[in-house]
Structures are given as structure tokens and as C-alpha cells.
């Protein structure tokens, strides 16, 4: 197995990307999942469908639209340009945005399922004990959905690690900025450097498997229903 | 005073689930009684603000809800004990108590806290996870948690319904013990008359979302027009005092103004206040005193009201025995046969009476 310094750079970049994306997705995903789990709005179904879209959409399609949106002519591109940030396409920030959209359902759906299975009772109990809405969310909802929270974080992280199509479309191939492991492996294969491709691929396989293994070992079997 | 005018209609329903006007005393135990589906739990949820409804709710002068404002549940300073699972399952027993104390406007003093935990035998449960308690333990902890926050209103939604006989008696006993320690008004929802005859001072009869009757327990239970709704359970309660005992036959006498009964001696001290329940079906009437009968309790009474209808074979008669009312149920034929009329003096034979408190 050969791990070159370029491989290592790609690996560290990928981990940094996955960590950033997971943290941001939990921040965005918690309120979004809460809304999806509790609302009776007629917008619930369209929003739920939108969130699930990356599950079925080819990553290249998502990447293509993102490229248009983030590029200098796109609405987001013009916005970031006006703010003096320049174009986000072919940058780490652009990758973060793309990966967040790509991994959104993997974070939101476990959270939403855990929140929906809570039912009203724990919240009603907390309300009668004097806890306001925000208090209830942090002191009752979060501790009760911990298994779902862990699942969401691990799936979001693992899924971002393996991203390829979206990165290729909007990130390109800039070392240390957008060249993640999957792209690096692709480059190795293109160059017929199979030994190098093997090295990185094995690392990814091991990493992904150990994360999922940890998840399934640590989580209770089935849905935990407590009295 | 507790005043609550509540109207509740579920979306899509043709009729109101609740349409009532409650007037309850500002202290003591008020029981809400009715068959299942009468809207008892919905009413409690409306009072707590857990169920959105149109309402005007005032608790001892504080407006909880009116036409223009609705205080959210967490500001209402109430305590709620659900039928089961009132505890936060991710916390220990101690965690549950702390959760409530931390958010309470005026939690109890250390001394009272210790006293309540002691009475409810919660001390040894403190480190246990709430999710691993038995049904009886859960309700004891829920009661402790409800009392340590000193709520302005205590709501109990059939707290015994999910328990078996032994635990039911245990919690009922504890509730009775705690009555004097509870300063807040307590609203107790139940469909078991034996629970409320023991605990309640005030009674609300609920049927299909409407108040059929409300008032002091003794008054409501003595109404002849309500007796048919209670069926075999119809009957009065009488507040009395233990006045004598007969050790030879293991009997004790309870007395009220111008009335008395002999009951099986259950060990209460002489002079202690007791509550006796007499079912209407256990009272029969004679025109003269029969001494050649096995029935020990024969009371001279006056007929104050007769309620009979042509469609019903049974009639309900209200009798006054001194200051107390007694209901008797007889067949309409006996009524006619004996020529009973309001105002007549007759003898009531009481086949059995139970000490409920």
C-alpha cells in the first residue's frame, strides 16, 4: 500500500469536509426535522419530498444545478460576489454547501423518525412541569432522541466521506482545496496507478466499515421504546 | 374559586366534545365523575392548556384563559398526574423531582420535601431510572413530584385506573393521608364512585361533555333525579363521628345530628370524624319499627321526596334522618302498596353501610 503526501492531503481534506458538513447539518437538520415531525402544515409533504430528493437524484444532476447556481452567473454566485466572497464554485465552501444538500436526508430522516416516535406525552409532561418550548427541546427532546442523533451524525459523516459526483461537478480537482479522497482515487485509476488506488480505497473501506460497525454495536437493537 | 367555561369541538366533528360551565371551590378535592367518553380527560387537558379550546378559566382570581388571552401550560403553575407514565423516562426519580423543583415558582421547604417523600415512600426510589419503576411506584413518584412544586391547581386524571387492587388501595390511602397537606385545589377525574366517595368534597357529574350536576358531594349524591344514572351505585354519604363501641359484638356506633348507625368495628378512635356510605339499594322502608328482623340499623326517618315515573319499576325516595339525607330504592309497587307520600314518618332499615373514610 502506498499513501503519498498528496493522498494524505486528500484524506485530511475529506475528513475536514465531513466534520464540517456533519456539524452544520445537525445545526440545520434538528429544527428542520422537528418541524417535519410536528407540523400539520400542507407544506410538510413537499418539504419532506425535497429533503429526500438527494436519495434518488444522480449526484451529477445535483452538482450541475449547484454549479449553475454557485457560478458567477448564478443567483447564489452573484450574491456571494456582491458580498465580496467571490464565486463559491471550485472552493471548499462550495463543497460544503454541495455536500450538505447531498447528505441532508441522511441526517434529517433519522432525526425526524426519532422525533415522531416520541409522541406528545413527554412534551406535555415537561410543559406541566413549567418547561417552555425551547427548554423542552433541550431538556427533553434531545436526550430522548439520542440514538437517532447518533445515527444521524454517523450517517451524515460517512455519506459525505463517500461523495464523488457532486464534488466533481462543483469542486473540480484542486489539491488541498477540493480534491477529496474519492476524486484522488479516480485520478489514480485514470493514471492506471492501481497500487495507489488500492491504498486509498482500502483506507476508505476500513474507515466507513468501522464507523457503521460502531454505530450498530453502540445502538440498541430495534427502536428503543421506553415506558 | 375555580371558574371554567369550556367549549371544545374537534376539527371535523359535528358536535361539541365539551360545552360546560364549572364552578368549583378554591380548595379541597373536587371529583369529576362520568362514564368513559364523557369528556373527563378532555376537560382536564383544557384546564391545563394541553388541549386548545375556547374557554374562560380563572383559578382563585388568576386568569389562565379568556376570550383574548391564553396562558401556555408551562406558565399555569399546575401539576398534572396522568393515568400512567407521568414521568420523564430519560431521568431518574431524583432527576424527575429536580426537573420540577428547578422550574417551580415556589417549591416546598426542605422540611416539607422530606415529609412528602417520606409519606409517599419515594426516598428509596430516588436513584432508580424512572423507566424501570412499577406502576404503583411510578404513581407515587408522580404524586411526590406534583406536590413538591406547590402548584396552584392539582390535576389528577384517573391516577388509579392502571393499577391493580393492592396498589389502588395503597395510593388511595396515601391520597387520603395527603389531603391535609395539600393546600392547592385538587381536581380528581375518575369513573369509580368508591374512589370519589372517599376523597371528594365536591362532585361534578359529567355526561357527553355536559355538566349534569355539580355541588357538594353530599348534596349531589342525595339527589333522587340523579340516582338512576348511578344505578346500583346510587347512595348517600354521611359525615359522622364514632360515638360508642360494643366490644362484645365488635361493633361501633357512629352518630350525626339526630341519627346513628351501628357498623362493624374497624378500630377508629372514639370521637374521630368518619364518612359513611349507604347505597340506596341497601335501604328498605317499613311503616312501623320491625324488631323481629336481623337488620340492626332501623332509623326513624321522614320522607322528603319521592321520585318515580310510570316507565320505571323502581322508585327512589329521599329520607331525612336528622341533618342527614338517605336515599332508598323500592319498587313502584311497594310505594303504592304502602301508600308512601312526602312528609310521612317511616322506618328505614339499613341492610349495610360502609365506612369510606
Amino acid at each position: 500500500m502506498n499513501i503519498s503526501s498528496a493522498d494524505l492531503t486528500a484524506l485530511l481534506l475529506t475528513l475536514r469536509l465531513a466534520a464540517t458538513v456533519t456539524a452544520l447539518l445537525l445545526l440545520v437538520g434538528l429544527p428542520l426535522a422537528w418541524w417535519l415531525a410536528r407540523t400539520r402544515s400542507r407544506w410538510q409533504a413537499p418539504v419532506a419530498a425535497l429533503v429526500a430528493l438527494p436519495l434518488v437524484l444522480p449526484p451529477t444532476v445535483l452538482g450541475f444545478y449547484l454549479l449553475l447556481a454557485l457560478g458567477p452567473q448564478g443567483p447564489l454566485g452573484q450574491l456571494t460576489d456582491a458580498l465580496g466572497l467571490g464565486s463559491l464554485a471550485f472552493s471548499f465552501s462550495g463543497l460544503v454547501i454541495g455536500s450538505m444538500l447531498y447528505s441532508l436526508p441522511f441526517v434529517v430522516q433519522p432525526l425526524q423518525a426519532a422525533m415522531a416516535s416520541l409522541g406528545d406525552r413527554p412534551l406535555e409532561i415537561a410543559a406541566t412541569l413549567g418547561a417552555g418550548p425551547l427548554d423542552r427541546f433541550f431538556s427533553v427532546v434531545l436526550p430522548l432522541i439520542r440514538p437517532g442523533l447518533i445515527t444521524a451524525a454517523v450517517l451524515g459523516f460517512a455519506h459525505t466521506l463517500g461523495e464523488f459526483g457532486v464534488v466533481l461537478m462543483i469542486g473540480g480537482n484542486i489539491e488541498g482545496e477540493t480534491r477529496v479522497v474519492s476524486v484522488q482515487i479516480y485520478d489514480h485509476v485514470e493514471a492506471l496507478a492501481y497500487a495507489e488506488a488500492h491504498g486509498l480505497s482500502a483506507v476508505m473501506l476500513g474507515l466507513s466499515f468501522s464507523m457503521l460497525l460502531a454505530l450498530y454495536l453502540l445502538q440498541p437493537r430495534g427502536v428503543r421504546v421506553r415506558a | 374559586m375555580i371558574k371554567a367555561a369550556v367549549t371544545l369541538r374537534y376539527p371535523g366533528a359535528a358536535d361539541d366534545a365539551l360545552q360546560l360551565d364549572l364552578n368549583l371551590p378554591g380548595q379541597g378535592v373536587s371529583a369529576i365523575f362520568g362514564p368513559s367518553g364523557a369528556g373527563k380527560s378532555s376537560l382536564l387537558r383544557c384546564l391545563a392548556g394541553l388541549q386548545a379550546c375556547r374557554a374562560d378559566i380563572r383559578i382563585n382570581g388568576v386568569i389562565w384563559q379568556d376570550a383574548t388571552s391564553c396562558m401556555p401550560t408551562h406558565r399555569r403553575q399546575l401539576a398534572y398526574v396522568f393515568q400512567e407514565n407521568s414521568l420523564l423516562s430519560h431521568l431518574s426519580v431524583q432527576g424527575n423531582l429536580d426537573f420540577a423543583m428547578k422550574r417551580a415558582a415556589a417549591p416546598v421547604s426542605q422540611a416539607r420535601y422530606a415529609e412528602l417523600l417520606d409519606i409517599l415512600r419515594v426516598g428509596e426510589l430516588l436513584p432508580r431510572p424512572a423507566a424501570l419503576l412499577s406502576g404503583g411506584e411510578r404513581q407515587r413518584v408522580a404524586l411526590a413530584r406534583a406536590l413538591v412544586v406547590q402548584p396552584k391547581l392539582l390535576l389528577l386524571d384517573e391516577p388509579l385506573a392502571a393499577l391493580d387492587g393492592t396498589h389502588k388501595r395503597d395510593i388511595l390511602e396515601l391520597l387520603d393521608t395527603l389531603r391535609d397537606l395539600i393546600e392547592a385545589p385538587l381536581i380528581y377525574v375518575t369513573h369509580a364512585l368508591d374512589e370519589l366517595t372517599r376523597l371528594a368534597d365536591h362532585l361534578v357529574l359529567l355526561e357527553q361533555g355536559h355538566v349534569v350536576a355539580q355541588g357538594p358531594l353530599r348534596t349531589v349524591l342525595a339527589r333522587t333525579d340523579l340516582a338512576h344514572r348511578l344505578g346500583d351505585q346510587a347512595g348517600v354519604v354521611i359525615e359522622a363521628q364514632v360515638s360508642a363501641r360494643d366490644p362484645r359484638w365488635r361493633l361501633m356506633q357512629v352518630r350525626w345530628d339526630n341519627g346513628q348507625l351501628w357498623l362493624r368495628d374497624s378500630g377508629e378512635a372514639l370521637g374521630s370524624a368518619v364518612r359513611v356510605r349507604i347505597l340506596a339499594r341497601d335501604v328498605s322502608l317499613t311503616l312501623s319499627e320491625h324488631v323481629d328482623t336481623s337488620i340492626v340499623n332501623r332509623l326513624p326517618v321522614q320522607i322528603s321526596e319521592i321520585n318515580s315515573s310510570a316507565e320505571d319499576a323502581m322508585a327512589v325516595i329521599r329520607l331525612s334522618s336528622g341533618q342527614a339525607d338517605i336515599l332508598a330504592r323500592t319498587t313502584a309497587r311497594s310505594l303504592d302498596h304502602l301508600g308512601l307520600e312526602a312528609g310521612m314518618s317511616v322506618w328505614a332499615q339499613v341492610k349495610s353501610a360502609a365506612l369510606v373514610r
Side-chain angles (χ1 to χ4, degrees), chain A residues 73-139:
Chain A
Q73 308 304 320
L76 285 176
Q78 286 182 341
L79 180 73
T80 52
D81 213 27
L83 293 170
L85 299 170
S87 170
L88 291 185
F90 305 109
S91 73
F92 183 74
S93 310
L95 271 200
V96 169
I97 294 174
S99 307
M100 279 178 68
L101 286 175
Y102 181 55
S103 298
L104 188 65
F106 291 85
V107 172
V108 169
Q109 288 189 347
L111 291 178
Q112 188 187 338
M115 286 166 174
S117 72
L118 272 188
D120 291 334
R121 184 49 62 83
L123 294 163
E124 292 182 350
I125 294 170
T128 63
L129 296 176
L134 219 55
D135 187 1
R136 293 201 285 272
F137 187 79
F138 286 106
S139 62

Side-chain angles (χ1 to χ4, degrees), chain A residues 121-122 124-133 135-136 139-140 143-144 226-227, chain B residues 45 50 73-74 78 80 82 84-90 99-100 103 131 138 145:
Chain A
R121 184 49 62 83
E124 292 182 350
I125 294 170
T128 63
L129 296 176
D135 187 1
R136 293 201 285 272
S139 62
V140 176
L144 280 174
R226 291 198 291 186
Chain B
R45 294 177 59 80
L50 295 173
T73 301
H74 65 275
L78 50 82
Y80 204 121
F82 294 89
E84 43 183 343
N85 299 345
S86 300
L87 303 183
L88 291 168
S89 62
H90 63 293
F99 190 102
R103 290 163 177 82
R138 272 205 298 267
R145 198 186 57 187

